[in-house]
């Protein structure tokens, strides 16, 4: 998969594991986003066209229009990517569980929540996000979503992994 002219999303958030949310992927593509809640359409990469509609009705209409043609989607490619990601995540979780305490030991709960929430894509912004999260939680025990957004606002995630980052911070707030 090298490029696309159009990427159509129906009724769900963009899949970061396939990097659709990243502007570095499919740079020239027009995104058409269809969903029945605004957050499904505007989570990180805005569509050139955004349509508020029922995903089920949309899919039904598309299948009807396509006349049940055979799919050309490379499902093996996507499954291979997902499998590799799951394998890496499993290895990381195992090494985290077995690591000794100390300076090169177990992850801090904030780091662990970032891993659990899959809140890192390329990972460049992650150290800054984790440190900003630590500073925020040191000063505020039960931060609201607005507090979290303000607390992390000095860090920019170009991948647009914000929804998962916010979820990781919310989960970490319950632990630290
Ligand atoms: S995870 Fe890549 S910039 Fe944030």
């Amino acid at each position: 998969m090298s490029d696309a002219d159009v990427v159509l999303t129906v009724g769900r958030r963009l899949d970061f594991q396939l990097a659709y949310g990243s502007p570095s992927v499919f740079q020239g593509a027009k995104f058409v986003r269809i969903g029945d809640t605004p957050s499904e359409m505007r989570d990180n990469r805005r569509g050139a066209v955004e349509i508020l509609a029922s995903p089920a009705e949309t899919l039904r209409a598309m299948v009807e229009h396509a006349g049940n043609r055979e799919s050309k989607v490379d499902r093996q490619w996507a499954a291979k990517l997902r499998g590799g990601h799951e394998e890496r995540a499993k290895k990381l979780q195992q090494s985290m569980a077995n690591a000794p305490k100390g300076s090169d030991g177990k992850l801090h709960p904030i780091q662990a929540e970032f891993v659990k929430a899959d809140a890192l894509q390329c990972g460049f912004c992650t150290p800054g996000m984790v440190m900003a999260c630590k500073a925020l939680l040191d000063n505020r025990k039960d931060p609201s979503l607005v507090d979290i957004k303000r607390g992390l606002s000095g860090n920019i995630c170009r991948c647009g992994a914000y929804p998962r980052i916010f979820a990781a911070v919310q989960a970490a707030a319950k632990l630290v």
Side-chain angles (χ1 to χ4, degrees):
M1 185 165 63
S2 56
D3 208 346
D5 296 323
V6 176
V7 175
L8 173 67
T9 66
V10 181
R12 60 166 295 176
R13 289 170 176 270
L14 290 176
D15 189 336
F16 287 102
Q17 287 162 33
L18 299 181
Y20 291 136
S22 171
S24 62
V25 175
F26 298 144
Q27 285 177 344
K30 295 273 185 247
F31 273 62
V32 177
R33 306 200 60 185
I34 301 171
D36 57 3
T37 57
S39 65
E40 285 172 344
M41 294 187 286
R42 300 178 191 146
D43 53 354
N44 54 69
R45 186 163 174 170
R46 299 293 302 262
V49 178
E50 295 169 339
I51 302 170
L52 199 57
S54 154
E57 287 302 317
T58 303
L59 291 171
R60 215 180 338 270
M62 287 168 67
V63 168
E64 197 174 298
H65 187 73
N68 286 331
R69 280 178 302 180
E70 199 171 312
S71 169
K72 290 186 179 159
V73 171
D74 188 350
R75 293 182 192 282
Q76 282 183 331
W77 173 82
K80 194 174 156 196
L81 278 186
R82 192 175 298 279
H85 171 76
E86 285 167 359
E87 198 176 308
R88 285 190 300 279
K90 203 169 158 189
K91 276 187 194 162
L92 176 61
Q93 280 168 358
Q94 281 169 353
S95 67
M96 280 165 51
N98 298 329
K101 288 190 173 172
S103 59
D104 58 349
K106 291 186 179 179
L107 295 179
H108 186 277
I110 292 172
Q111 293 172 305
E113 290 307 317
F114 268 68
V115 172
K116 260 196 234 161
D118 204 8
L120 27 139
Q121 284 293 298
C122 72
F124 279 105
C125 71
T126 307
M129 292 290 184
V130 168
M131 296 309 288
C133 173
K134 174 80 169 82
L136 172 71
L137 298 182
D138 282 350
N139 291 304
R140 203 172 275 265
K141 290 300 164 207
D142 187 19
S144 67
L145 186 56
V146 171
D147 294 331
I148 293 170
K149 288 180 178 178
R150 279 204 189 113
L152 303 187
S153 63
N155 295 272
I156 296 175
C157 174
R158 72 176 177 83
C159 315
Y162 291 108
R164 292 180 189 192
I165 291 170
F166 298 152
V169 177
Q170 286 171 321
K174 295 185 177 113
L175 303 173
V176 296

